[in-house]
Amino acid sequence: MASANSEHSRFMREAIALSIKSVNSGQGGPFGAVIVKDGEIIAKAHNMVTSINDPTAHAEIVAIRQACQKLKTFKLNGCQLYTSCEPCPMCLGAIYWSRVDRVYYANTKADAADIDFDDQFIYEELDLPISDRRLPIIQILRDEALQAFKLWSEKVDKIEY
Ligand SMILES: [Zn+2]
């Protein structure tokens, strides 16, 4: 499958080029991502955290938003995501929610940690019970909040996802 392999390399090189562009333009961290459907790039993005003041503007998230807008859908089945670095926990969550078929990555999270992009603490937090996490997360007003869940479960014309 030499041709398939070279196609994967082509898409990854595009993601890598975006990561380099991000650094050179001063728009964000050294991360790029593209989303491919049917052999065509439908979204390309790089990290924009510092340029648009959005801590969620990681390359993968920006690319997922672009792809969904382009395809006018909230599900990216049939799509592949190429990211220049192994996704952080936030992006990994977004990737699962987006339903992309597959993820290709280049740099590892250890490579990212070496240049001070260390998301290991988030993985460690996830393993802890809520009460032991460094971020205080406090439950209040569950009874009132459950109203929306009840409405949802009874709604007949809802758009499930
Ligand atoms: Zn991320």
Side-chain angles (χ1 to χ4, degrees):
M1 293 289 285
S3 62
N5 284 338
S6 66
E7 187 160 74
H8 294 314
S9 299
R10 181 165 70 84
F11 295 138
M12 185 58 80
R13 286 194 183 105
E14 192 73 40
I16 293 167
L18 287 156
S19 71
I20 291 167
K21 182 180 163 198
S22 185
V23 178
N24 287 336
S25 67
Q27 290 186 304
F31 306 97
V34 302
I35 294 176
V36 171
K37 184 167 193 189
D38 300 329
E40 270 184 54
I41 292 176
I42 57 162
K44 13 164 42 164
H46 59 70
N47 183 289
M48 306 271 291
V49 169
T50 54
S51 52
I52 63 170
N53 294 320
D54 181 349
T56 71
H58 289 193
E60 299 94 319
I61 303 252
V62 178
I64 286 169
R65 287 178 180 153
Q66 269 181 27
C68 288
Q69 287 196 351
K70 180 157 188 174
L71 299 178
K72 296 183 171 37
T73 179
F74 49 83
K75 284 183 186 172
L76 296 177
N77 309 80
C79 296
Q80 299 84 43
L81 186 144
Y82 293 78
T83 175
S84 68
C85 185
E86 187 177 351
C88 76
M90 172 182 72
C91 291
L92 196 56
I95 287 163
Y96 275 108
W97 289 128
S98 77
R99 312 290 204 267
V100 298
D101 288 356
R102 190 174 292 205
V103 175
Y104 297 89
Y105 70 96
N107 290 322
T108 66
K109 62 183 182 180
D111 296 328
D114 284 345
I115 56 160
D116 295 328
F117 289 96
D118 193 356
D119 52 19
Q120 185 56 35
F121 76 98
I122 302 178
Y123 289 103
E124 288 165 8
E125 287 271 290
L126 289 173
D127 279 342
L128 296 173
I130 277 188
S131 57
D132 292 351
R133 292 181 191 161
R134 68 171 86 166
L135 175 70
I137 304 176
I138 301 133
Q139 185 181 32
I140 56 171
L141 295 182
R142 176 172 178 248
D143 289 348
E144 292 179 33
L146 277 172
Q147 285 177 67
F149 284 10
K150 189 166 183 290
L151 283 171
W152 175 263
S153 70
E154 290 165 357
K155 190 174 174 70
V156 289
D157 58 344
K158 61 193 166 202
I159 302 169
E160 299 198 52
Y161 61 93

